[in-house]
Amino acid sequence: LDLDVAAASTLLVDGVAAGSATWTGAGPGGHHREGELQFTTTSQPREMTLTIVGLPGPVQLNWPSREADH
């Protein structure tokens, strides 16, 4: 995967962009890449949506925060 994971990723927190991402892990290339994608938020989110572009199709993951359940 020759993809800059941080540049290809966006996170919506309660419908608002969370800002830029940082990637700590394997660099571009190779079939399997491991690492950690981090975003910083300033509030306690209720719902988050992560989108990664630059792959054969966009990848989108949606989930409620653990705090939203309490």
Side-chain angles (χ1 to χ4, degrees):
L1 297 171
D2 290 326
L3 177 69
D4 179 343
V5 177
S9 302
T10 57
L11 180 69
L12 294 179
V13 177
D14 298 329
V16 178
S20 61
T22 57
W23 170 257
T24 305
H31 184 70
H32 297 280
R33 291 177 62 187
E34 290 186 31
E36 186 173 302
L37 183 64
Q38 296 180 347
F39 292 86
T40 301
T41 63
T42 58
S43 64
Q44 186 61 46
R46 294 173 47 89
E47 184 176 68
M48 297 168 281
T49 302
L50 173 66
T51 303
I52 302 173
V53 298
L55 299 169
V59 174
Q60 191 171 66
L61 305 163
N62 300 293
W63 65 96
S65 75
R66 284 185 252 169
E67 295 298 320
D69 296 335
H70 295 109

